[in-house]
PDB file of all heavy atoms in Angstrom:
ATOM      1  N   ILE A  36     -16.273  21.268   3.490  1.00  0.00           N
ATOM      2  CA  ILE A  36     -16.791  22.533   3.005  1.00  0.00           C
ATOM      3  C   ILE A  36     -16.653  22.429   1.491  1.00  0.00           C
ATOM      4  O   ILE A  36     -15.591  22.066   1.010  1.00  0.00           O
ATOM      5  CB  ILE A  36     -15.968  23.714   3.547  1.00  0.00           C
ATOM      6  CG1 ILE A  36     -15.993  23.716   5.066  1.00  0.00           C
ATOM      7  CG2 ILE A  36     -16.493  25.023   2.990  1.00  0.00           C
ATOM      8  CD1 ILE A  36     -15.004  24.671   5.680  1.00  0.00           C
ATOM      9  N   MET A  37     -17.689  22.705   0.745  1.00  0.00           N
ATOM     10  CA  MET A  37     -17.645  22.411  -0.678  1.00  0.00           C
ATOM     11  C   MET A  37     -17.708  23.653  -1.557  1.00  0.00           C
ATOM     12  O   MET A  37     -18.761  23.989  -2.095  1.00  0.00           O
ATOM     13  CB  MET A  37     -18.782  21.454  -1.020  1.00  0.00           C
ATOM     14  CG  MET A  37     -18.605  20.115  -0.336  1.00  0.00           C
ATOM     15  SD  MET A  37     -19.991  19.035  -0.592  1.00  0.00           S
ATOM     16  CE  MET A  37     -20.825  19.245   0.979  1.00  0.00           C
ATOM     17  N   PRO A  38     -16.611  24.374  -1.695  1.00  0.00           N
ATOM     18  CA  PRO A  38     -16.648  25.576  -2.520  1.00  0.00           C
ATOM     19  C   PRO A  38     -16.896  25.304  -3.989  1.00  0.00           C
ATOM     20  O   PRO A  38     -17.533  26.081  -4.662  1.00  0.00           O
ATOM     21  CB  PRO A  38     -15.271  26.206  -2.308  1.00  0.00           C
ATOM     22  CG  PRO A  38     -14.406  25.127  -1.794  1.00  0.00           C
ATOM     23  CD  PRO A  38     -15.311  24.157  -1.092  1.00  0.00           C
ATOM     24  N   PRO A  70      -4.050  35.102   3.829  1.00  0.00           N
ATOM     25  CA  PRO A  70      -3.775  35.694   5.143  1.00  0.00           C
ATOM     26  C   PRO A  70      -2.784  34.887   5.981  1.00  0.00           C
ATOM     27  O   PRO A  70      -2.237  35.404   6.952  1.00  0.00           O
ATOM     28  CB  PRO A  70      -5.149  35.736   5.814  1.00  0.00           C
ATOM     29  CG  PRO A  70      -5.937  34.680   5.136  1.00  0.00           C
ATOM     30  CD  PRO A  70      -5.442  34.642   3.716  1.00  0.00           C
ATOM     31  N   PHE A  71      -2.523  33.646   5.588  1.00  0.00           N
ATOM     32  CA  PHE A  71      -1.580  32.799   6.322  1.00  0.00           C
ATOM     33  C   PHE A  71      -0.157  32.901   5.766  1.00  0.00           C
ATOM     34  O   PHE A  71       0.772  32.327   6.330  1.00  0.00           O
ATOM     35  CB  PHE A  71      -2.048  31.338   6.284  1.00  0.00           C
ATOM     36  CG  PHE A  71      -3.389  31.128   6.926  1.00  0.00           C
ATOM     37  CD1 PHE A  71      -4.528  31.008   6.151  1.00  0.00           C
ATOM     38  CD2 PHE A  71      -3.514  31.068   8.303  1.00  0.00           C
ATOM     39  CE1 PHE A  71      -5.774  30.820   6.740  1.00  0.00           C
ATOM     40  CE2 PHE A  71      -4.753  30.880   8.908  1.00  0.00           C
ATOM     41  CZ  PHE A  71      -5.878  30.759   8.116  1.00  0.00           C
ATOM     42  N   THR A  80      -3.540  25.269   7.212  1.00  0.00           N
ATOM     43  CA  THR A  80      -4.466  26.357   6.905  1.00  0.00           C
ATOM     44  C   THR A  80      -3.931  27.225   5.762  1.00  0.00           C
ATOM     45  O   THR A  80      -4.689  27.660   4.899  1.00  0.00           O
ATOM     46  CB  THR A  80      -4.726  27.227   8.147  1.00  0.00           C
ATOM     47  OG1 THR A  80      -3.469  27.576   8.747  1.00  0.00           O
ATOM     48  CG2 THR A  80      -5.578  26.490   9.162  1.00  0.00           C
ATOM     49  N   TRP A  81      -2.628  27.453   5.763  1.00  0.00           N
ATOM     50  CA  TRP A  81      -1.989  28.191   4.676  1.00  0.00           C
ATOM     51  C   TRP A  81      -2.239  27.478   3.351  1.00  0.00           C
ATOM     52  O   TRP A  81      -2.664  28.090   2.364  1.00  0.00           O
ATOM     53  CB  TRP A  81      -0.477  28.319   4.945  1.00  0.00           C
ATOM     54  CG  TRP A  81       0.341  28.635   3.736  1.00  0.00           C
ATOM     55  CD1 TRP A  81       0.517  29.864   3.170  1.00  0.00           C
ATOM     56  CD2 TRP A  81       1.089  27.712   2.941  1.00  0.00           C
ATOM     57  NE1 TRP A  81       1.340  29.771   2.065  1.00  0.00           N
ATOM     58  CE2 TRP A  81       1.705  28.440   1.906  1.00  0.00           C
ATOM     59  CE3 TRP A  81       1.316  26.340   2.994  1.00  0.00           C
ATOM     60  CZ2 TRP A  81       2.509  27.857   0.943  1.00  0.00           C
ATOM     61  CZ3 TRP A  81       2.117  25.750   2.036  1.00  0.00           C
ATOM     62  CH2 TRP A  81       2.709  26.513   1.021  1.00  0.00           C
ATOM     63  N   TYR A  82      -2.007  26.188   3.336  1.00  0.00           N
ATOM     64  CA  TYR A  82      -2.163  25.425   2.102  1.00  0.00           C
ATOM     65  C   TYR A  82      -3.627  25.362   1.648  1.00  0.00           C
ATOM     66  O   TYR A  82      -3.944  25.647   0.498  1.00  0.00           O
ATOM     67  CB  TYR A  82      -1.617  24.002   2.246  1.00  0.00           C
ATOM     68  CG  TYR A  82      -1.866  23.207   0.993  1.00  0.00           C
ATOM     69  CD1 TYR A  82      -1.078  23.393  -0.132  1.00  0.00           C
ATOM     70  CD2 TYR A  82      -2.950  22.335   0.913  1.00  0.00           C
ATOM     71  CE1 TYR A  82      -1.348  22.723  -1.305  1.00  0.00           C
ATOM     72  CE2 TYR A  82      -3.224  21.658  -0.253  1.00  0.00           C
ATOM     73  CZ  TYR A  82      -2.421  21.848  -1.363  1.00  0.00           C
ATOM     74  OH  TYR A  82      -2.700  21.193  -2.527  1.00  0.00           O
ATOM     75  N   ALA A  83      -4.537  24.996   2.547  1.00  0.00           N
ATOM     76  CA  ALA A  83      -5.944  24.827   2.176  1.00  0.00           C
ATOM     77  C   ALA A  83      -6.555  26.152   1.718  1.00  0.00           C
ATOM     78  O   ALA A  83      -7.358  26.175   0.779  1.00  0.00           O
ATOM     79  CB  ALA A  83      -6.735  24.232   3.337  1.00  0.00           C
ATOM     80  N   PHE A  84      -6.180  27.258   2.364  1.00  0.00           N
ATOM     81  CA  PHE A  84      -6.681  28.564   1.938  1.00  0.00           C
ATOM     82  C   PHE A  84      -6.187  28.872   0.519  1.00  0.00           C
ATOM     83  O   PHE A  84      -6.970  29.276  -0.343  1.00  0.00           O
ATOM     84  CB  PHE A  84      -6.228  29.669   2.898  1.00  0.00           C
ATOM     85  CG  PHE A  84      -6.973  30.953   2.708  1.00  0.00           C
ATOM     86  CD1 PHE A  84      -8.068  31.249   3.502  1.00  0.00           C
ATOM     87  CD2 PHE A  84      -6.589  31.878   1.745  1.00  0.00           C
ATOM     88  CE1 PHE A  84      -8.778  32.435   3.323  1.00  0.00           C
ATOM     89  CE2 PHE A  84      -7.280  33.056   1.558  1.00  0.00           C
ATOM     90  CZ  PHE A  84      -8.386  33.341   2.350  1.00  0.00           C
ATOM     91  N   GLY A  85      -4.901  28.665   0.287  1.00  0.00           N
ATOM     92  CA  GLY A  85      -4.328  28.903  -1.041  1.00  0.00           C
ATOM     93  C   GLY A  85      -4.939  27.999  -2.100  1.00  0.00           C
ATOM     94  O   GLY A  85      -5.231  28.432  -3.217  1.00  0.00           O
ATOM     95  N   ARG A  86      -5.156  26.749  -1.754  1.00  0.00           N
ATOM     96  CA  ARG A  86      -5.731  25.790  -2.708  1.00  0.00           C
ATOM     97  C   ARG A  86      -7.181  26.162  -3.030  1.00  0.00           C
ATOM     98  O   ARG A  86      -7.600  26.090  -4.185  1.00  0.00           O
ATOM     99  CB  ARG A  86      -5.637  24.370  -2.139  1.00  0.00           C
ATOM    100  CG  ARG A  86      -6.159  23.304  -3.085  1.00  0.00           C
ATOM    101  CD  ARG A  86      -5.258  23.142  -4.309  1.00  0.00           C
ATOM    102  NE  ARG A  86      -5.768  22.100  -5.173  1.00  0.00           N
ATOM    103  CZ  ARG A  86      -6.098  22.268  -6.451  1.00  0.00           C
ATOM    104  NH1 ARG A  86      -5.918  23.443  -7.039  1.00  0.00           N
ATOM    105  NH2 ARG A  86      -6.585  21.272  -7.160  1.00  0.00           N
ATOM    106  N   ALA A  87      -7.941  26.568  -2.020  1.00  0.00           N
ATOM    107  CA  ALA A  87      -9.322  27.001  -2.268  1.00  0.00           C
ATOM    108  C   ALA A  87      -9.340  28.217  -3.190  1.00  0.00           C
ATOM    109  O   ALA A  87     -10.153  28.295  -4.116  1.00  0.00           O
ATOM    110  CB  ALA A  87     -10.024  27.312  -0.947  1.00  0.00           C
ATOM    111  N   TYR A  88      -8.437  29.157  -2.971  1.00  0.00           N
ATOM    112  CA  TYR A  88      -8.333  30.346  -3.826  1.00  0.00           C
ATOM    113  C   TYR A  88      -8.002  29.916  -5.253  1.00  0.00           C
ATOM    114  O   TYR A  88      -8.594  30.399  -6.229  1.00  0.00           O
ATOM    115  CB  TYR A  88      -7.235  31.260  -3.288  1.00  0.00           C
ATOM    116  CG  TYR A  88      -7.372  32.729  -3.614  1.00  0.00           C
ATOM    117  CD1 TYR A  88      -7.026  33.687  -2.666  1.00  0.00           C
ATOM    118  CD2 TYR A  88      -7.815  33.185  -4.846  1.00  0.00           C
ATOM    119  CE1 TYR A  88      -7.129  35.044  -2.943  1.00  0.00           C
ATOM    120  CE2 TYR A  88      -7.917  34.532  -5.135  1.00  0.00           C
ATOM    121  CZ  TYR A  88      -7.577  35.453  -4.175  1.00  0.00           C
ATOM    122  OH  TYR A  88      -7.673  36.792  -4.450  1.00  0.00           O
ATOM    123  N   LEU A  91     -11.192  28.221  -6.777  1.00  0.00           N
ATOM    124  CA  LEU A  91     -12.293  29.152  -7.023  1.00  0.00           C
ATOM    125  C   LEU A  91     -11.943  30.265  -7.995  1.00  0.00           C
ATOM    126  O   LEU A  91     -12.791  30.737  -8.740  1.00  0.00           O
ATOM    127  CB  LEU A  91     -12.740  29.778  -5.701  1.00  0.00           C
ATOM    128  CG  LEU A  91     -13.373  28.834  -4.692  1.00  0.00           C
ATOM    129  CD1 LEU A  91     -13.470  29.501  -3.326  1.00  0.00           C
ATOM    130  CD2 LEU A  91     -14.738  28.396  -5.174  1.00  0.00           C
ATOM    131  N   TYR A  93     -11.129  33.188  -6.889  1.00  0.00           N
ATOM    132  CA  TYR A  93     -11.353  34.398  -6.103  1.00  0.00           C
ATOM    133  C   TYR A  93     -11.103  34.074  -4.633  1.00  0.00           C
ATOM    134  O   TYR A  93     -11.084  32.904  -4.240  1.00  0.00           O
ATOM    135  CB  TYR A  93     -12.767  34.971  -6.312  1.00  0.00           C
ATOM    136  CG  TYR A  93     -13.892  34.052  -5.912  1.00  0.00           C
ATOM    137  CD1 TYR A  93     -14.342  33.987  -4.587  1.00  0.00           C
ATOM    138  CD2 TYR A  93     -14.517  33.246  -6.857  1.00  0.00           C
ATOM    139  CE1 TYR A  93     -15.379  33.148  -4.217  1.00  0.00           C
ATOM    140  CE2 TYR A  93     -15.556  32.398  -6.490  1.00  0.00           C
ATOM    141  CZ  TYR A  93     -15.983  32.352  -5.177  1.00  0.00           C
ATOM    142  OH  TYR A  93     -17.006  31.516  -4.814  1.00  0.00           O
ATOM    143  N   LYS A  94     -10.914  35.123  -3.824  1.00  0.00           N
ATOM    144  CA  LYS A  94     -10.579  34.922  -2.417  1.00  0.00           C
ATOM    145  C   LYS A  94     -11.728  34.215  -1.696  1.00  0.00           C
ATOM    146  O   LYS A  94     -12.854  34.729  -1.670  1.00  0.00           O
ATOM    147  CB  LYS A  94     -10.273  36.264  -1.747  1.00  0.00           C
ATOM    148  CG  LYS A  94      -9.629  36.126  -0.397  1.00  0.00           C
ATOM    149  CD  LYS A  94      -9.123  37.467   0.093  1.00  0.00           C
ATOM    150  CE  LYS A  94      -8.215  37.311   1.294  1.00  0.00           C
ATOM    151  NZ  LYS A  94      -7.545  38.558   1.612  1.00  0.00           N
ATOM    152  N   PRO A  95     -11.457  33.057  -1.117  1.00  0.00           N
ATOM    153  CA  PRO A  95     -12.522  32.317  -0.440  1.00  0.00           C
ATOM    154  C   PRO A  95     -12.892  32.942   0.903  1.00  0.00           C
ATOM    155  O   PRO A  95     -12.051  33.511   1.585  1.00  0.00           O
ATOM    156  CB  PRO A  95     -11.910  30.926  -0.234  1.00  0.00           C
ATOM    157  CG  PRO A  95     -10.445  31.164  -0.205  1.00  0.00           C
ATOM    158  CD  PRO A  95     -10.180  32.347  -1.093  1.00  0.00           C
ATOM    159  N   ASN A  96     -14.142  32.828   1.263  1.00  0.00           N
ATOM    160  CA  ASN A  96     -14.626  33.337   2.536  1.00  0.00           C
ATOM    161  C   ASN A  96     -14.437  32.247   3.595  1.00  0.00           C
ATOM    162  O   ASN A  96     -15.400  31.718   4.142  1.00  0.00           O
ATOM    163  CB  ASN A  96     -16.098  33.744   2.410  1.00  0.00           C
ATOM    164  CG  ASN A  96     -16.612  34.435   3.653  1.00  0.00           C
ATOM    165  OD1 ASN A  96     -15.845  34.855   4.517  1.00  0.00           O
ATOM    166  ND2 ASN A  96     -17.921  34.557   3.751  1.00  0.00           N
ATOM    167  N   LEU A  97     -13.189  31.900   3.847  1.00  0.00           N
ATOM    168  CA  LEU A  97     -12.842  30.856   4.809  1.00  0.00           C
ATOM    169  C   LEU A  97     -12.298  31.476   6.086  1.00  0.00           C
ATOM    170  O   LEU A  97     -11.831  32.615   6.093  1.00  0.00           O
ATOM    171  CB  LEU A  97     -11.783  29.913   4.222  1.00  0.00           C
ATOM    172  CG  LEU A  97     -12.232  29.039   3.056  1.00  0.00           C
ATOM    173  CD1 LEU A  97     -11.038  28.348   2.412  1.00  0.00           C
ATOM    174  CD2 LEU A  97     -13.255  28.018   3.522  1.00  0.00           C
ATOM    175  N   SER A  98     -12.312  30.703   7.132  1.00  0.00           N
ATOM    176  CA  SER A  98     -11.797  31.137   8.423  1.00  0.00           C
ATOM    177  C   SER A  98     -10.307  31.470   8.345  1.00  0.00           C
ATOM    178  O   SER A  98      -9.576  30.878   7.560  1.00  0.00           O
ATOM    179  CB  SER A  98     -12.004  30.021   9.453  1.00  0.00           C
ATOM    180  OG  SER A  98     -11.505  30.405  10.718  1.00  0.00           O
ATOM    181  N   THR A  99      -9.883  32.401   9.164  1.00  0.00           N
ATOM    182  CA  THR A  99      -8.451  32.693   9.283  1.00  0.00           C
ATOM    183  C   THR A  99      -7.941  32.225  10.642  1.00  0.00           C
ATOM    184  O   THR A  99      -6.902  32.661  11.108  1.00  0.00           O
ATOM    185  CB  THR A  99      -8.178  34.205   9.087  1.00  0.00           C
ATOM    186  OG1 THR A  99      -8.957  34.945  10.017  1.00  0.00           O
ATOM    187  CG2 THR A  99      -8.495  34.630   7.665  1.00  0.00           C
ATOM    188  N   ARG A 100      -8.703  31.313  11.255  1.00  0.00           N
ATOM    189  CA  ARG A 100      -8.291  30.736  12.539  1.00  0.00           C
ATOM    190  C   ARG A 100      -7.734  29.328  12.320  1.00  0.00           C
ATOM    191  O   ARG A 100      -7.642  28.859  11.188  1.00  0.00           O
ATOM    192  CB  ARG A 100      -9.496  30.691  13.488  1.00  0.00           C
ATOM    193  CG  ARG A 100     -10.079  32.068  13.736  1.00  0.00           C
ATOM    194  CD  ARG A 100     -11.049  32.157  14.876  1.00  0.00           C
ATOM    195  NE  ARG A 100     -12.174  31.227  14.853  1.00  0.00           N
ATOM    196  CZ  ARG A 100     -12.888  30.927  15.930  1.00  0.00           C
ATOM    197  NH1 ARG A 100     -12.602  31.465  17.102  1.00  0.00           N
ATOM    198  NH2 ARG A 100     -13.909  30.104  15.847  1.00  0.00           N
ATOM    199  N   TYR A 104     -11.449  25.215  13.708  1.00  0.00           N
ATOM    200  CA  TYR A 104     -12.556  26.173  13.694  1.00  0.00           C
ATOM    201  C   TYR A 104     -13.224  26.306  12.319  1.00  0.00           C
ATOM    202  O   TYR A 104     -14.284  26.897  12.206  1.00  0.00           O
ATOM    203  CB  TYR A 104     -12.070  27.564  14.120  1.00  0.00           C
ATOM    204  CG  TYR A 104     -11.633  27.649  15.545  1.00  0.00           C
ATOM    205  CD1 TYR A 104     -10.282  27.730  15.858  1.00  0.00           C
ATOM    206  CD2 TYR A 104     -12.560  27.650  16.582  1.00  0.00           C
ATOM    207  CE1 TYR A 104      -9.867  27.820  17.181  1.00  0.00           C
ATOM    208  CE2 TYR A 104     -12.159  27.736  17.904  1.00  0.00           C
ATOM    209  CZ  TYR A 104     -10.805  27.812  18.191  1.00  0.00           C
ATOM    210  OH  TYR A 104     -10.403  27.901  19.491  1.00  0.00           O
ATOM    211  N   TRP A 105     -12.593  25.806  11.291  1.00  0.00           N
ATOM    212  CA  TRP A 105     -13.071  26.071   9.943  1.00  0.00           C
ATOM    213  C   TRP A 105     -14.495  25.602   9.698  1.00  0.00           C
ATOM    214  O   TRP A 105     -15.272  26.285   9.041  1.00  0.00           O
ATOM    215  CB  TRP A 105     -12.119  25.473   8.908  1.00  0.00           C
ATOM    216  CG  TRP A 105     -10.901  26.295   8.664  1.00  0.00           C
ATOM    217  CD1 TRP A 105     -10.215  27.044   9.575  1.00  0.00           C
ATOM    218  CD2 TRP A 105     -10.209  26.445   7.436  1.00  0.00           C
ATOM    219  NE1 TRP A 105      -9.139  27.648   8.979  1.00  0.00           N
ATOM    220  CE2 TRP A 105      -9.106  27.286   7.664  1.00  0.00           C
ATOM    221  CE3 TRP A 105     -10.389  25.933   6.164  1.00  0.00           C
ATOM    222  CZ2 TRP A 105      -8.218  27.639   6.662  1.00  0.00           C
ATOM    223  CZ3 TRP A 105      -9.493  26.271   5.170  1.00  0.00           C
ATOM    224  CH2 TRP A 105      -8.423  27.127   5.421  1.00  0.00           C
ATOM    225  N   TYR A 106     -14.861  24.445  10.169  1.00  0.00           N
ATOM    226  CA  TYR A 106     -16.199  23.915   9.913  1.00  0.00           C
ATOM    227  C   TYR A 106     -17.264  24.797  10.572  1.00  0.00           C
ATOM    228  O   TYR A 106     -18.199  25.237   9.921  1.00  0.00           O
ATOM    229  CB  TYR A 106     -16.290  22.471  10.409  1.00  0.00           C
ATOM    230  CG  TYR A 106     -17.563  21.770  10.018  1.00  0.00           C
ATOM    231  CD1 TYR A 106     -17.782  21.382   8.698  1.00  0.00           C
ATOM    232  CD2 TYR A 106     -18.547  21.490  10.954  1.00  0.00           C
ATOM    233  CE1 TYR A 106     -18.947  20.733   8.329  1.00  0.00           C
ATOM    234  CE2 TYR A 106     -19.715  20.840  10.593  1.00  0.00           C
ATOM    235  CZ  TYR A 106     -19.910  20.463   9.280  1.00  0.00           C
ATOM    236  OH  TYR A 106     -21.066  19.819   8.918  1.00  0.00           O
ATOM    237  N   ASP A 108     -16.938  27.864  11.722  1.00  0.00           N
ATOM    238  CA  ASP A 108     -16.896  29.219  11.157  1.00  0.00           C
ATOM    239  C   ASP A 108     -17.635  29.276   9.827  1.00  0.00           C
ATOM    240  O   ASP A 108     -18.327  30.251   9.530  1.00  0.00           O
ATOM    241  CB  ASP A 108     -15.453  29.698  10.980  1.00  0.00           C
ATOM    242  CG  ASP A 108     -14.781  30.060  12.289  1.00  0.00           C
ATOM    243  OD1 ASP A 108     -15.439  30.028  13.356  1.00  0.00           O
ATOM    244  OD2 ASP A 108     -13.567  30.366  12.255  1.00  0.00           O
ATOM    245  N   ASN A 109     -17.478  28.231   9.014  1.00  0.00           N
ATOM    246  CA  ASN A 109     -18.177  28.191   7.737  1.00  0.00           C
ATOM    247  C   ASN A 109     -19.686  28.149   7.945  1.00  0.00           C
ATOM    248  O   ASN A 109     -20.431  28.847   7.268  1.00  0.00           O
ATOM    249  CB  ASN A 109     -17.740  26.986   6.906  1.00  0.00           C
ATOM    250  CG  ASN A 109     -18.513  26.915   5.612  1.00  0.00           C
ATOM    251  OD1 ASN A 109     -18.416  27.772   4.756  1.00  0.00           O
ATOM    252  ND2 ASN A 109     -19.343  25.890   5.484  1.00  0.00           N
ATOM    253  N   LYS A 112     -20.934  31.590   8.963  1.00  0.00           N
ATOM    254  CA  LYS A 112     -20.889  32.555   7.859  1.00  0.00           C
ATOM    255  C   LYS A 112     -21.865  32.197   6.746  1.00  0.00           C
ATOM    256  O   LYS A 112     -22.245  33.065   5.954  1.00  0.00           O
ATOM    257  CB  LYS A 112     -19.488  32.570   7.227  1.00  0.00           C
ATOM    258  CG  LYS A 112     -18.409  33.210   8.036  1.00  0.00           C
ATOM    259  CD  LYS A 112     -17.116  33.121   7.240  1.00  0.00           C
ATOM    260  CE  LYS A 112     -15.926  33.623   7.995  1.00  0.00           C
ATOM    261  NZ  LYS A 112     -14.684  33.471   7.214  1.00  0.00           N
ATOM    262  N   ALA A 114     -20.952  30.507   4.256  1.00  0.00           N
ATOM    263  CA  ALA A 114     -20.124  30.771   3.079  1.00  0.00           C
ATOM    264  C   ALA A 114     -20.224  29.684   2.014  1.00  0.00           C
ATOM    265  O   ALA A 114     -20.360  29.983   0.833  1.00  0.00           O
ATOM    266  CB  ALA A 114     -18.667  30.943   3.507  1.00  0.00           C
ATOM    267  N   PHE A 115     -20.148  28.419   2.414  1.00  0.00           N
ATOM    268  CA  PHE A 115     -20.153  27.310   1.467  1.00  0.00           C
ATOM    269  C   PHE A 115     -21.050  26.202   1.986  1.00  0.00           C
ATOM    270  O   PHE A 115     -21.301  26.101   3.177  1.00  0.00           O
ATOM    271  CB  PHE A 115     -18.737  26.744   1.276  1.00  0.00           C
ATOM    272  CG  PHE A 115     -17.760  27.745   0.743  1.00  0.00           C
ATOM    273  CD1 PHE A 115     -16.762  28.246   1.558  1.00  0.00           C
ATOM    274  CD2 PHE A 115     -17.832  28.186  -0.560  1.00  0.00           C
ATOM    275  CE1 PHE A 115     -15.853  29.174   1.081  1.00  0.00           C
ATOM    276  CE2 PHE A 115     -16.937  29.113  -1.053  1.00  0.00           C
ATOM    277  CZ  PHE A 115     -15.936  29.615  -0.236  1.00  0.00           C
ATOM    278  N   LYS A 116     -21.525  25.363   1.071  1.00  0.00           N
ATOM    279  CA  LYS A 116     -22.273  24.180   1.481  1.00  0.00           C
ATOM    280  C   LYS A 116     -21.361  23.313   2.327  1.00  0.00           C
ATOM    281  O   LYS A 116     -20.142  23.360   2.188  1.00  0.00           O
ATOM    282  CB  LYS A 116     -22.747  23.403   0.264  1.00  0.00           C
ATOM    283  CG  LYS A 116     -23.801  24.127  -0.543  1.00  0.00           C
ATOM    284  CD  LYS A 116     -24.229  23.276  -1.721  1.00  0.00           C
ATOM    285  CE  LYS A 116     -25.253  23.991  -2.560  1.00  0.00           C
ATOM    286  NZ  LYS A 116     -25.661  23.185  -3.710  1.00  0.00           N
ATOM    287  N   GLY A 124     -12.621  18.775  -4.585  1.00  0.00           N
ATOM    288  CA  GLY A 124     -12.522  20.218  -4.397  1.00  0.00           C
ATOM    289  C   GLY A 124     -13.005  20.693  -3.046  1.00  0.00           C
ATOM    290  O   GLY A 124     -12.959  21.880  -2.758  1.00  0.00           O
ATOM    291  N   ILE A 126     -13.004  20.869   1.226  1.00  0.00           N
ATOM    292  CA  ILE A 126     -11.999  20.941   2.291  1.00  0.00           C
ATOM    293  C   ILE A 126     -12.455  20.057   3.436  1.00  0.00           C
ATOM    294  O   ILE A 126     -13.546  20.253   3.966  1.00  0.00           O
ATOM    295  CB  ILE A 126     -11.808  22.390   2.781  1.00  0.00           C
ATOM    296  CG1 ILE A 126     -11.303  23.251   1.631  1.00  0.00           C
ATOM    297  CG2 ILE A 126     -10.839  22.427   3.964  1.00  0.00           C
ATOM    298  CD1 ILE A 126     -11.247  24.725   1.949  1.00  0.00           C
ATOM    299  N   VAL A 128     -12.200  18.904   7.213  1.00  0.00           N
ATOM    300  CA  VAL A 128     -11.832  19.540   8.473  1.00  0.00           C
ATOM    301  C   VAL A 128     -11.922  18.513   9.585  1.00  0.00           C
ATOM    302  O   VAL A 128     -12.969  17.911   9.794  1.00  0.00           O
ATOM    303  CB  VAL A 128     -12.793  20.714   8.798  1.00  0.00           C
ATOM    304  CG1 VAL A 128     -12.388  21.390  10.096  1.00  0.00           C
ATOM    305  CG2 VAL A 128     -12.836  21.714   7.651  1.00  0.00           C
ATOM    306  N   VAL A 138      -6.839  20.688   8.270  1.00  0.00           N
ATOM    307  CA  VAL A 138      -7.626  20.841   7.054  1.00  0.00           C
ATOM    308  C   VAL A 138      -6.835  20.286   5.880  1.00  0.00           C
ATOM    309  O   VAL A 138      -5.605  20.380   5.852  1.00  0.00           O
ATOM    310  CB  VAL A 138      -8.037  22.314   6.799  1.00  0.00           C
ATOM    311  CG1 VAL A 138      -9.058  22.779   7.813  1.00  0.00           C
ATOM    312  CG2 VAL A 138      -6.838  23.249   6.802  1.00  0.00           C
ATOM    313  N   VAL A 140      -7.449  19.136   1.368  1.00  0.00           N
ATOM    314  CA  VAL A 140      -8.300  19.301   0.195  1.00  0.00           C
ATOM    315  C   VAL A 140      -8.479  17.955  -0.500  1.00  0.00           C
ATOM    316  O   VAL A 140      -7.512  17.233  -0.724  1.00  0.00           O
ATOM    317  CB  VAL A 140      -7.685  20.333  -0.779  1.00  0.00           C
ATOM    318  CG1 VAL A 140      -8.550  20.500  -2.021  1.00  0.00           C
ATOM    319  CG2 VAL A 140      -7.491  21.672  -0.079  1.00  0.00           C
TER     320      VAL A 140
END
Side-chain angles (χ1 to χ4, degrees):
I36 301 169
M37 295 175 259
F71 299 101
T80 49
W81 161 81
Y82 176 77
F84 194 96
R86 182 69 179 122
Y88 206 142
L91 294 167
Y93 61 85
K94 193 170 192 170
N96 187 14
L97 292 170
S98 180
T99 56
R100 301 193 306 161
Y104 293 106
W105 281 35
Y106 188 72
D108 286 356
N109 177 65
K112 288 180 185 178
F115 300 109
K116 292 181 181 179
I126 298 173
V128 181
V138 290
V140 179

